[in-house]
Amino acid sequence: MFEPVIGLEIHLQLKTKTKMFCSCPAHADPSTSSGLSGAAPNTNVCPICLGQPGTLPVPNAEAIRAGIRMGLALGCKVNVSSKFDRKNYFYPDLPKGYQISQYDLPIVSGGMLAVEVIGKGAVRPIARIGITRAHLEEDAAKNLHGEEGKTFVDFNRAGVPLLEMVTEPDFASPLEAKVFLHELRLIARTLGVSDADMEKGQMRCDANISLRKRREDGSVEGLMFNPKTEIKNLNSFRHVERALAFEIDRQTRMWEQDTPPAVSTTRGWNDAKGITEEQRIKESEGDYRFFPEPDIPPLDLTMIAEECARSLPELPAAKRARFVTEYCLKKDDARQLVDDPALAAFAENVFSELHAWLDALPANEGASEELQAQEKSRIGRLVSTWILTKLLGLMSERSIDIRTCKVDAENFAELIVLVATSKLNAARALEVLAIMLESGADPSHVMEDRKLGAMEDTEALADAIDRIMVQHVAEVARYKAGETQLLGFLIGQVVRATEGAADAKTVKNLLSVKLG
Ligand code: ADP
Ligand code: ZN
Ligand code: MG
């Protein structure tokens, strides 16, 4: 059996104000973080990023901090004595004829990121991916291919800070690579170091893949690591997954025909054709003639590393775990909430409003711990359902984003309280929520305005119940004869008769009494 061996190299464009070694803006409009698209070509340039002779690069402290933070989040060790090196090659998008990068002393190395692998094609529940290293470097310019075979160069991107992260060949399936990249994007967004949007080129991925033979007894036959294919410049999650799947098929056929890849090669992904295409025989490291950048003194990162370690925010994995233990959420609900940092923050605020309310509840004062835990878990489920299905459902129908949503956490928590205390049934609460989305009003005002409260007039409710019992004498008789499951049917009839105004729980109590 052949098993895939996959390692990723990821370039992350850092969201700094200025470029890696000069003071040019790193983004066309810092307020939109839309990358460099939007600025007219060759407007964000200066003698330094154009590689003019006699200019001196000055490392960007914000980029260094971003790289260290990302490294710490990936469990890496910070190399406090780090340095920059020149990587030499000739290409029109590289004005100096070399790229300032890091060779043997990257800012961080030796980390690990564990990701949960759910979905079709999962070969193990958790993938632990070693992080070899991450280093800082400058982006190249962008070649624009115009008419008549002409190529233009836009230097706006030249010198934008990049963090290149290299993983160990630890992925066992294309799905694992995709899940890992999703988590990496979420971490970058959580830290605020990059928007990591692959479609915008803010995160770019080279995927390395080879196969090896595994025997029935679990041992590897032949080499652990065989010559690999490096698929360059994948710019969407889908492309990564598809390209890797294609390569697995292609290499499997080569192995089956007893002609496995003899040398490592570089290929490109052609998405239209759905195939990888040979690009060139890979150059070896020697071809780059790396040497220390003489214009930048070695770095001492001791102070910066300590400061970054102290101020690292809670990471997605920890937040997911905490949402489960602290708020009694289901694992999958916690994952969905944490996937969007703004949504996670909203949920967090809703819970803190609710816990103040829960604690203040007189009924809770003398309640046993078990009862309190039960109530907490009920509220937790209520909140996640109401956010993930109802609120997000209404929002997507209206193309509203959580960042622009008018419903604040306080009002949303109040709505949850109304539902939890049966002052509002689910159908009515959804109507109230829709109105809250339009106006941002608080739910009790909406209820008063629209007379949407639950039917608290017990006399009217008792009448409604009596009517239903008369209309459904047969069912009532059968219930009394022991078909207790008919209670649900009768409750439904009453709720319908009151057009949803009656609260099911109250109806149940009253009906049970009336039915004896
Ligand atoms: P090179 O520089 O020769 O391309 P590296 O050893 O620097 O190779 O590794 C580059 C990336 O390729 C890393 O992410 C690494 O995990 C991965 N990789 C290395 N060897 C293999 C292999 N045999 N199969 C799949 N991936 C590999
Ligand atoms: Zn510049
Ligand atoms: Mg290498």
Side-chain angles (χ1 to χ4, degrees):
M1 199 191 89
F2 299 105
E3 78 179 12
V5 176
I6 300 166
L8 301 179
E9 294 163 281
I10 303 111
H11 283 94
L12 193 65
Q13 216 176 58
L14 299 175
K15 205 165 95 177
T16 51
K17 282 189 232 23
T18 57
K19 291 187 180 179
M20 190 64 230
F21 299 110
C22 63
S23 55
C24 289
H27 299 280
D29 176 6
S31 68
T32 62
S33 70
S34 60
L36 285 164
S37 50
N42 297 309
T43 51
N44 286 329
V45 291
C46 76
I48 297 174
C49 55
L50 287 177
Q52 302 287 308
T55 57
L56 282 176
V58 179
N60 179 343
E62 194 191 354
I64 291 175
R65 208 170 286 121
I68 291 177
R69 279 155 56 81
M70 198 66 199
L72 290 172
L74 298 174
C76 291
K77 167 176 123 336
V78 180
N79 298 317
V80 291
S81 33
S82 182
K83 69 172 170 64
F84 287 99
D85 301 278
R86 289 188 184 178
K87 179 179 180 178
N88 300 277
Y89 65 93
F90 287 101
Y91 204 64
D93 65 8
L94 196 67
K96 296 191 290 292
Y98 60 84
Q99 177 193 35
I100 306 180
S101 179
Q102 298 193 286
Y103 181 51
D104 53 342
L105 287 174
I107 45 166
V108 297
S109 56
M112 200 273 287
L113 181 66
V115 289
E116 202 175 351
V117 194
I118 311 165
K120 206 168 135 255
V123 291
R124 49 181 177 171
I126 302 220
R128 289 188 172 75
I129 308 301
I131 310 295
T132 316
R133 55 181 280 160
H135 66 254
L136 287 167
E137 60 187 28
E138 51 181 343
D139 208 344
K142 203 168 190 166
N143 288 339
L144 306 164
H145 302 285
E147 301 135 26
E148 297 166 33
K150 284 182 188 152
T151 294
F152 301 87
V153 187
D154 176 7
F155 287 92
N156 283 350
R157 201 180 69 180
V160 166
L162 292 181
L163 184 71
E164 176 171 346
M165 293 166 279
V166 182
T167 79
E168 292 293 301
D170 287 345
F171 298 92
S173 71
L175 176 67
E176 287 184 6
K178 189 179 78 170
V179 171
F180 176 89
L181 289 171
H182 265 285
E183 187 72 357
L184 208 59
R185 180 177 72 178
L186 182 55
I187 292 172
R189 289 179 177 176
T190 302
L191 298 176
V193 300
S194 174
D195 290 339
D197 191 330
M198 289 191 83
E199 271 74 15
K200 289 183 184 156
Q202 295 159 344
M203 186 161 99
R204 311 191 281 266
C205 177
D206 301 339
N208 300 268
I209 174 160
S210 63
L211 300 183
R212 71 180 158 219
K213 227 177 203 169
R214 199 170 282 280
R215 296 194 194 89
E216 293 274 310
D217 67 3
S219 63
V220 169
E221 184 182 324
L223 294 174
M224 278 297 276
F225 298 106
N226 291 296
K228 66 182 166 71
T229 296
E230 178 176 356
I231 316 164
K232 287 295 234 187
N233 260 317
L234 295 162
N235 53 15
S236 83
F237 295 108
R238 207 178 116 265
H239 291 187
V240 172
E241 214 181 3
R242 284 189 75 198
L244 284 171
F246 176 86
E247 260 317 291
I248 291 172
D249 281 351
R250 193 183 68 86
Q251 292 185 21
T252 303
R253 275 198 304 278
M254 293 173 77
W255 280 89
E256 283 170 354
Q257 290 160 5
D258 275 332
T259 53
V263 289
S264 292
T265 52
T266 303
R267 299 179 74 88
W269 172 245
N270 183 329
D271 195 54
K273 292 189 187 159
I275 58 169
T276 61
E277 296 165 326
E278 169 111 39
Q279 288 187 330
R280 62 191 151 93
I281 301 290
K282 212 179 144 41
E283 62 275 81
S284 66
E285 244 161 37
D287 300 338
Y288 290 125
R289 295 174 296 118
F290 278 100
F291 65 84
E293 166 59 64
D295 291 337
I296 303 175
L299 305 165
D300 178 358
L301 302 177
T302 318
M303 298 284 277
I304 283 198
E306 279 170 16
E307 181 223 304
C308 289
R310 271 198 306 272
S311 60
L312 208 64
E314 181 180 43
L315 296 170
K319 195 182 290 283
R320 281 190 284 261
R322 186 170 58 80
F323 274 20
V324 170
T325 53
E326 194 173 324
Y327 303 140
C328 305
L329 297 189
K330 280 190 259 175
K331 231 169 117 178
D332 190 54
D333 289 350
R335 188 182 53 75
Q336 281 188 62
L337 288 172
V338 173
D339 264 349
D340 180 346
L343 201 60
F346 179 78
E348 190 103 66
N349 292 334
V350 170
F351 278 115
S352 70
E353 296 281 345
L354 280 171
H355 282 171
W357 166 77
L358 263 178
D359 290 342
L361 224 53
N364 255 353
E365 248 164 43
S368 70
E369 263 177 43
E370 197 192 330
L371 215 73
Q372 284 190 29
Q374 259 177 27
E375 184 63 3
K376 215 171 131 180
S377 145
R378 186 173 77 96
I379 298 289
R381 301 286 153 101
L382 213 51
V383 170
S384 51
T385 315
W386 275 86
I387 292 181
L388 290 172
T389 60
K390 321 265 176 166
L391 180 63
L392 288 191
L394 291 176
M395 275 168 39
S396 81
E397 280 167 19
R398 292 161 176 74
S399 306
I400 301 174
D401 183 271
I402 188 73
R403 286 155 197 82
T404 52
C405 171
K406 284 187 184 159
V407 180
D408 66 22
E410 193 185 341
N411 287 339
F412 192 82
E414 197 184 326
L415 182 75
I416 297 293
V417 171
L418 291 167
V419 176
T421 54
S422 304
K423 299 242 164 52
L424 205 52
N425 66 28
R428 287 291 161 97
L430 197 60
E431 284 178 49
V432 172
L433 185 57
I435 297 164
M436 289 166 69
L437 265 175
E438 303 294 327
S439 65
D442 72 74
S444 24
H445 277 112
V446 175
M447 283 168 68
E448 259 170 47
D449 260 18
R450 313 270 167 133
K451 309 223 173 339
L452 281 175
M455 198 180 258
E456 283 181 86
D457 178 350
T458 34
E459 211 169 298
L461 189 53
D463 283 352
I465 291 174
D466 288 341
R467 271 201 311 281
I468 293 299
M469 285 176 67
V470 171
Q471 277 167 27
H472 296 278
V473 270
E475 283 81 2
V476 169
R478 278 164 60 201
Y479 173 88
K480 287 187 172 160
E483 283 184 58
T484 48
Q485 74 276 16
L486 280 169
L487 186 60
F489 165 80
L490 292 168
I491 294 170
Q493 293 301 314
V494 177
V495 172
R496 243 178 64 190
T498 60
E499 285 167 348
D503 170 57
K505 227 192 287 160
T506 316
V507 175
K508 184 180 172 191
N509 292 338
L510 288 173
L511 250 176
S512 308
V513 172
K514 281 183 188 284
L515 289 167

Coordinates of all heavy atoms in Angstrom, one line a residue, residues 68-113:
I68 N 7.6 36.5 15.4 CA 7.8 35.8 16.7 C 6.4 35.3 17.3 O 6.3 34.2 17.8 CB 8.5 36.8 17.7 CG1 9.9 37.0 17.2 CG2 8.5 36.2 19.1 CD1 10.7 38.0 18.0
R69 N 5.4 36.2 17.2 CA 4.1 35.8 17.8 C 3.6 34.6 17.1 O 3.0 33.7 17.7 CB 3.1 37.0 17.6 CG 3.3 38.1 18.7 CD 2.9 39.5 18.3 NE 1.5 39.5 17.9 CZ 0.4 39.6 18.7 NH1 0.6 39.6 20.0 NH2 -0.8 39.6 18.2
M70 N 3.7 34.6 15.7 CA 3.2 33.5 15.0 C 4.0 32.2 15.4 O 3.4 31.2 15.6 CB 3.4 33.8 13.5 CG 2.6 32.9 12.5 SD 0.8 33.2 12.7 CE 0.2 31.7 11.9
G71 N 5.3 32.4 15.5 CA 6.1 31.2 15.9 C 5.7 30.7 17.3 O 5.6 29.5 17.4
L72 N 5.5 31.6 18.2 CA 5.1 31.2 19.5 C 3.8 30.4 19.5 O 3.6 29.4 20.2 CB 5.0 32.4 20.5 CG 6.4 33.0 20.9 CD1 6.1 34.3 21.6 CD2 7.2 32.1 21.7
A73 N 2.9 30.9 18.7 CA 1.6 30.3 18.6 C 1.7 28.9 18.0 O 0.8 28.0 18.2 CB 0.6 31.1 17.7
L74 N 2.8 28.6 17.2 CA 3.0 27.3 16.6 C 3.9 26.5 17.5 O 4.5 25.5 17.1 CB 3.6 27.5 15.2 CG 2.7 28.2 14.2 CD1 3.4 28.4 12.9 CD2 1.4 27.4 14.0
G75 N 4.1 26.9 18.7 CA 5.0 26.2 19.7 C 6.4 26.2 19.4 O 7.2 25.3 19.8
C76 N 6.9 27.2 18.6 CA 8.3 27.2 18.3 C 9.1 27.9 19.3 O 8.6 28.6 20.2 CB 8.5 28.0 17.0 SG 7.8 27.2 15.5
K77 N 10.4 27.7 19.2 CA 11.4 28.3 20.1 C 11.9 29.6 19.3 O 12.1 29.5 18.1 CB 12.5 27.3 20.4 CG 13.8 27.9 21.0 CD 14.7 26.7 21.2 CE 16.1 26.7 20.6 NZ 16.5 27.4 19.5
V78 N 12.0 30.7 20.0 CA 12.6 31.9 19.4 C 14.1 31.8 19.4 O 14.7 31.5 20.4 CB 12.1 33.2 20.1 CG1 12.6 34.4 19.4 CG2 10.6 33.2 20.1
N79 N 14.7 32.0 18.2 CA 16.1 32.0 18.2 C 16.6 33.5 18.4 O 16.5 34.3 17.5 CB 16.6 31.6 16.8 CG 16.2 30.1 16.6 OD1 16.4 29.3 17.5 ND2 15.8 29.8 15.4
V80 N 17.0 33.7 19.7 CA 17.2 35.1 20.1 C 18.3 35.8 19.3 O 18.4 37.0 19.1 CB 17.3 35.3 21.6 CG1 16.0 35.0 22.3 CG2 18.4 34.4 22.2
S81 N 19.3 34.9 18.9 CA 20.3 35.5 18.0 C 20.1 35.1 16.6 O 20.5 34.0 16.2 CB 21.8 35.2 18.5 OG 21.8 34.0 19.1
S82 N 19.3 35.9 15.9 CA 18.9 35.6 14.6 C 19.6 36.5 13.6 O 20.1 37.5 14.1 CB 17.4 35.7 14.5 OG 16.9 35.4 13.2
K83 N 19.6 36.2 12.3 CA 20.2 37.2 11.4 C 19.5 37.1 10.0 O 18.8 36.1 9.8 CB 21.7 36.9 11.3 CG 22.0 35.6 10.6 CD 23.5 35.5 10.3 CE 23.9 34.1 9.8 NZ 23.4 33.6 8.6
F84 N 19.8 38.0 9.2 CA 19.3 38.0 7.8 C 20.4 37.5 6.8 O 21.6 37.7 7.1 CB 18.8 39.3 7.4 CG 17.5 39.7 8.0 CD1 17.4 40.5 9.2 CD2 16.3 39.1 7.6 CE1 16.2 40.8 9.8 CE2 15.1 39.4 8.2 CZ 15.1 40.2 9.3
D85 N 20.0 36.9 5.7 CA 21.0 36.5 4.7 C 20.5 36.9 3.3 O 19.3 37.1 3.1 CB 21.1 34.9 4.8 CG 21.5 34.4 6.1 OD1 22.8 34.4 6.4 OD2 20.7 34.1 6.9
R86 N 21.4 36.8 2.4 CA 21.1 37.1 1.0 C 20.9 35.8 0.2 O 21.7 34.9 0.3 CB 22.2 37.9 0.3 CG 22.2 39.4 0.8 CD 23.2 40.2 0.0 NE 23.3 41.6 0.5 CZ 24.0 42.5 0.1 NH1 24.8 42.3 -1.0 NH2 24.1 43.7 0.6
K87 N 19.8 35.7 -0.5 CA 19.5 34.6 -1.3 C 19.6 35.1 -2.8 O 18.8 35.9 -3.2 CB 18.1 34.0 -1.0 CG 17.7 32.8 -1.8 CD 16.3 32.4 -1.4 CE 15.8 31.2 -2.1 NZ 14.4 30.8 -1.7
N88 N 20.6 34.6 -3.5 CA 20.9 35.2 -4.8 C 20.2 34.5 -5.9 O 20.4 33.3 -6.1 CB 22.4 35.2 -5.0 CG 23.1 36.0 -3.9 OD1 23.2 37.3 -4.0 ND2 23.6 35.4 -2.9
Y89 N 19.5 35.2 -6.7 CA 19.0 34.6 -8.0 C 18.6 35.8 -8.9 O 18.3 36.9 -8.4 CB 17.9 33.6 -7.8 CG 16.6 34.1 -7.2 CD1 15.5 34.5 -8.1 CD2 16.4 34.1 -5.9 CE1 14.3 35.0 -7.5 CE2 15.2 34.6 -5.3 CZ 14.2 35.0 -6.2 OH 13.0 35.4 -5.7
F90 N 18.5 35.5 -10.2 CA 18.1 36.6 -11.1 C 16.8 36.3 -11.7 O 16.4 35.3 -12.2 CB 19.2 36.6 -12.3 CG 20.5 37.2 -11.8 CD1 21.6 36.4 -11.6 CD2 20.6 38.6 -11.6 CE1 22.8 37.0 -11.1 CE2 21.8 39.2 -11.2 CZ 22.9 38.3 -10.9
Y91 N 15.9 37.4 -11.5 CA 14.6 37.3 -12.1 C 14.1 38.7 -12.2 O 14.5 39.5 -11.3 CB 13.7 36.4 -11.2 CG 12.5 35.9 -12.0 CD1 12.7 35.0 -13.1 CD2 11.2 36.2 -11.7 CE1 11.7 34.5 -13.8 CE2 10.1 35.8 -12.4 CZ 10.4 34.9 -13.5 OH 9.3 34.4 -14.2
P92 N 13.3 39.1 -13.2 CA 12.9 40.5 -13.3 C 12.2 41.1 -12.1 O 12.1 42.3 -11.9 CB 12.0 40.5 -14.5 CG 12.3 39.3 -15.2 CD 12.8 38.3 -14.3
D93 N 11.5 40.2 -11.3 CA 10.8 40.7 -10.2 C 11.6 40.9 -8.9 O 11.1 41.3 -7.8 CB 9.6 39.8 -9.8 CG 10.0 38.4 -9.4 OD1 11.2 38.2 -9.1 OD2 9.1 37.5 -9.2
L94 N 12.9 40.7 -9.1 CA 13.8 40.9 -7.9 C 14.9 42.0 -8.2 O 15.9 41.7 -8.8 CB 14.5 39.5 -7.7 CG 15.2 39.3 -6.3 CD1 14.1 39.3 -5.2 CD2 16.0 38.1 -6.3
P95 N 14.6 43.2 -7.8 CA 15.4 44.3 -8.3 C 16.9 44.2 -7.8 O 17.7 44.7 -8.6 CB 14.7 45.6 -7.7 CG 13.8 45.1 -6.6 CD 13.4 43.7 -7.0
K96 N 17.1 43.7 -6.7 CA 18.5 43.7 -6.2 C 19.4 42.6 -6.8 O 20.6 42.5 -6.6 CB 18.6 43.6 -4.7 CG 18.0 44.8 -3.9 CD 18.3 44.8 -2.4 CE 17.5 43.7 -1.7 NZ 16.1 44.0 -1.6
G97 N 18.7 41.6 -7.4 CA 19.4 40.4 -7.8 C 19.5 39.4 -6.6 O 20.2 38.4 -6.8
Y98 N 19.1 39.8 -5.5 CA 19.0 38.9 -4.3 C 17.8 39.2 -3.5 O 17.3 40.4 -3.5 CB 20.3 38.9 -3.5 CG 20.6 40.3 -2.9 CD1 20.1 40.7 -1.7 CD2 21.5 41.1 -3.6 CE1 20.4 41.9 -1.2 CE2 21.8 42.4 -3.1 CZ 21.2 42.8 -1.8 OH 21.5 44.0 -1.3
Q99 N 17.4 38.3 -2.7 CA 16.3 38.5 -1.8 C 16.8 38.5 -0.4 O 17.6 37.6 -0.1 CB 15.2 37.4 -1.9 CG 14.0 37.4 -1.0 CD 13.2 36.1 -1.0 OE1 13.8 35.1 -1.1 NE2 11.9 36.3 -0.8
I100 N 16.5 39.5 0.5 CA 16.9 39.4 1.9 C 16.0 38.4 2.6 O 14.8 38.6 2.6 CB 16.9 40.7 2.6 CG1 17.8 41.7 1.8 CG2 17.5 40.5 4.0 CD1 17.8 43.1 2.5
S101 N 16.6 37.3 3.1 CA 15.8 36.2 3.7 C 16.6 35.8 4.9 O 17.4 36.5 5.4 CB 15.7 35.1 2.7 OG 14.9 34.0 3.2
Q102 N 16.3 34.6 5.5 CA 17.0 34.1 6.6 C 17.4 32.7 6.2 O 16.5 31.9 5.8 CB 16.2 34.1 7.9 CG 15.8 35.5 8.3 CD 15.2 35.5 9.7 OE1 14.1 35.1 9.9 NE2 16.0 36.0 10.7
Y103 N 18.6 32.3 6.5 CA 19.1 31.0 6.0 C 19.2 30.0 7.2 O 18.3 29.2 7.5 CB 20.4 31.1 5.3 CG 21.0 29.8 4.8 CD1 20.2 28.9 4.1 CD2 22.3 29.5 5.0 CE1 20.7 27.7 3.6 CE2 22.9 28.3 4.5 CZ 22.0 27.4 3.8 OH 22.6 26.3 3.4
D104 N 20.3 30.2 8.0 CA 20.6 29.2 9.0 C 20.1 29.6 10.4 O 20.1 28.8 11.3 CB 22.1 28.8 9.0 CG 23.0 30.0 9.1 OD1 22.5 31.1 8.8 OD2 24.2 29.9 9.5
L105 N 19.7 30.8 10.6 CA 19.2 31.3 11.9 C 17.9 31.9 11.7 O 17.8 33.2 11.9 CB 20.2 32.2 12.6 CG 21.5 31.6 13.1 CD1 22.5 32.7 13.6 CD2 21.2 30.7 14.3
P106 N 16.8 31.2 11.4 CA 15.5 31.8 11.3 C 15.0 32.3 12.6 O 15.5 31.8 13.7 CB 14.7 30.6 10.8 CG 15.4 29.4 11.4 CD 16.8 29.7 11.3
I107 N 14.1 33.2 12.6 CA 13.7 33.8 13.9 C 13.1 32.7 14.9 O 13.2 32.8 16.1 CB 12.7 35.0 13.8 CG1 11.5 34.7 12.9 CG2 13.3 36.3 13.6 CD1 10.4 35.7 13.0
V108 N 12.4 31.7 14.3 CA 11.8 30.7 15.2 C 12.0 29.3 14.5 O 12.1 29.2 13.3 CB 10.3 30.9 15.4 CG1 10.0 32.2 16.2 CG2 9.5 30.9 14.1
S109 N 12.0 28.3 15.4 CA 12.1 26.9 14.8 C 11.6 25.9 15.9 O 11.4 26.2 17.0 CB 13.5 26.6 14.4 OG 14.4 26.8 15.5
G110 N 11.4 24.7 15.4 CA 11.1 23.5 16.3 C 9.8 23.6 17.0 O 9.7 23.4 18.2
G111 N 8.7 23.8 16.2 CA 7.4 23.8 16.9 C 6.5 22.6 16.5 O 6.9 21.7 15.8
M112 N 5.2 22.7 16.9 CA 4.3 21.6 16.6 C 2.9 22.2 16.6 O 2.6 23.0 17.5 CB 4.4 20.5 17.6 CG 3.8 19.2 17.1 SD 2.1 19.0 17.5 CE 2.1 18.8 19.3
L113 N 2.0 21.9 15.7 CA 0.6 22.3 15.7 C -0.2 21.0 15.5 O -0.1 20.3 14.5 CB 0.3 23.3 14.6 CG -1.1 23.8 14.6 CD1 -1.4 24.6 15.8 CD2 -1.4 24.7 13.3

